[in-house]
Amino acid sequence: MTQQRANLLLVTVSMAWGTSYMFMKVVATDVPPLTIVALRSVIAFVFMWLLFYKRMIRVNWQTLKYSAIVGALLFGIFVGLLLGTKYTSASTAGFLTTTTVVLVPILQMFITRKLPKKNIVIGLALVGVGLAFLTLKNGLSIEMGAVYCLVGAFLYAVHIIVTNRFVRKVDVLQLGIYQLGFGSLYAIVAAFLFETPSLPTTAISWISILGLAFICSAYGFVMQPIAQKYTTPENTGFLFSLEPIFSAIFAFIFLKEIMGVNGYIGAALIMVGVTVANYNSKKKCAIEKMASLQTT
């Protein structure tokens, strides 16, 4: 797979994830949050495992270990975004999650121990102002939904960086599917410990659960590590910035959500900040592309 095809695949992943906020918003009123995470993860894992069972049974301990780690991050992402979507609009949740794109290069900065570049500093400032417009309500108070979304975004950034390291060492398909399995395990345990699990009671809730399972989890989180093997963490984060655009479109069409003037200003500033933070010159892009091709 070429880097161009991998990037195109990640665009489709962003589109799939863009539907997740709409699905989560719908089902969150009918089913407890941890139970939702358990259901979507279990259905996605069982479906993908059966689909590729011949490849799944030949798994080594290193793959299982890595899958347990990214599965824990995945569980945290699901819970954070679900709670965030429950207490804020689906459109707002989508744009808040975009902060992942700025967090990835920042975390990479700490890993490489290099000072942030000027474009990252400018981008972070723009994102910060955008977050203020998008999340501050009634003066200087911040809604809890925004906090949950930002926690999910941080875990999302960690997941991208960790996944990028693991895909170089193990089978990417096994990693993508078994992370869902471990995420399922964590969610089931948490659901029985902290809430009373219950199944969806309406057809629309079941449709939302199945959408989360097949479109967002089975496709999205299995295709992500496969595509990431052939591109960079920065490119991955940047392409995922398309996710809130898709989420806002779906929320407007299906949920009739309107973010308001402050919301749209904040969303625009976040998108500009994300673009600035991940801007590379043509010369640098060519160098990165050549380096990526040499490693593959």
Side-chain angles (χ1 to χ4, degrees):
M1 184 185 295
T2 64
Q3 184 174 2
Q4 184 178 10
R5 289 182 179 178
N7 290 340
L8 181 60
L9 186 60
L10 289 174
V11 171
T12 66
V13 170
S14 291
M15 183 181 295
W17 286 343
T19 65
S20 66
Y21 304 96
M22 175 184 66
F23 290 138
M24 288 188 288
K25 189 73 175 178
V26 171
V27 75
T29 60
D30 187 35
V31 182
L34 294 174
T35 303
I36 295 174
V37 175
L39 285 172
R40 69 178 289 185
S41 301
V42 168
I43 295 172
F45 171 67
V46 171
F47 173 76
M48 294 302 290
W49 196 95
L50 292 176
L51 189 63
F52 297 99
Y53 75 95
K54 290 183 179 179
R55 196 161 163 182
M56 290 300 101
I57 58 178
R58 299 176 181 177
V59 61
N60 56 49
W61 284 110
Q62 185 179 33
T63 300
L64 291 176
K65 179 178 70 174
Y66 289 166
S67 298
I69 294 171
V70 292
L73 291 169
L74 193 63
F75 168 69
I77 293 167
F78 284 165
V79 173
L81 297 186
L82 180 61
L83 291 175
T85 307
K86 184 176 182 178
Y87 296 110
T88 189
S89 69
S91 304
T92 299
F95 281 101
L96 289 173
T97 309
T98 315
T99 56
T100 295
V101 186
V102 176
L103 292 171
V104 168
I106 291 176
L107 291 176
Q108 287 284 74
M109 175 195 72
F110 285 106
I111 294 172
T112 59
R113 297 182 181 179
K114 294 181 181 179
L115 292 175
K117 297 176 183 178
K118 185 184 295 184
N119 62 309
I120 293 179
V121 175
I122 296 173
L124 184 59
L126 288 170
V127 168
V129 176
L131 286 173
F133 273 96
L134 200 61
T135 64
L136 291 180
K137 310 291 181 181
N138 302 320
L140 295 178
S141 62
I142 185 169
E143 57 182 13
M144 281 306 299
V147 175
Y148 287 128
C149 287
L150 292 175
V151 171
F154 174 78
L155 294 176
Y156 205 164
V158 176
H159 183 275
I160 290 173
I161 293 173
V162 171
T163 298
N164 189 70
R165 289 177 177 268
F166 290 169
V167 294
R168 317 286 175 178
K169 303 176 182 179
V170 297
D171 185 300
V172 290
L173 181 62
Q174 289 183 339
L175 179 69
I177 294 175
Y178 276 111
Q179 72 167 338
L180 289 172
F182 279 100
S184 304
L185 179 62
Y186 303 143
I188 291 171
V189 172
F192 279 98
L193 285 177
F194 300 109
E195 63 189 26
T196 303
S198 62
L199 294 175
T201 59
T202 63
I204 191 65
S205 292
W206 272 114
I207 291 172
S208 298
I209 286 291
L210 294 176
L212 287 169
F214 291 115
I215 299 174
C216 309
S217 298
Y219 180 79
F221 278 97
V222 172
M223 289 301 106
Q224 177 199 345
I226 292 175
Q228 268 196 254
K229 185 175 181 179
Y230 302 96
T231 189
T232 64
E234 289 79 9
N235 277 343
T236 301
F238 182 67
L239 291 169
F240 285 170
S241 67
L242 297 173
E243 181 182 337
I245 297 176
F246 291 123
S247 71
I249 292 173
F250 293 135
F252 176 77
I253 294 174
F254 296 103
L255 302 179
K256 309 302 180 185
E257 284 189 358
I258 298 176
M259 298 171 65
V261 176
N262 283 352
Y264 286 117
I265 292 175
L269 286 170
I270 288 175
M271 293 305 297
V272 172
V274 162
T275 303
V276 170
N278 288 272
Y279 173 78
N280 285 322
S281 66
K282 292 183 178 180
K283 181 177 179 181
K284 183 177 179 183
C285 285
I287 293 173
E288 288 182 347
K289 186 175 181 179
M290 288 297 295
S292 176
L293 290 174
Q294 289 175 357
T295 57
T296 58

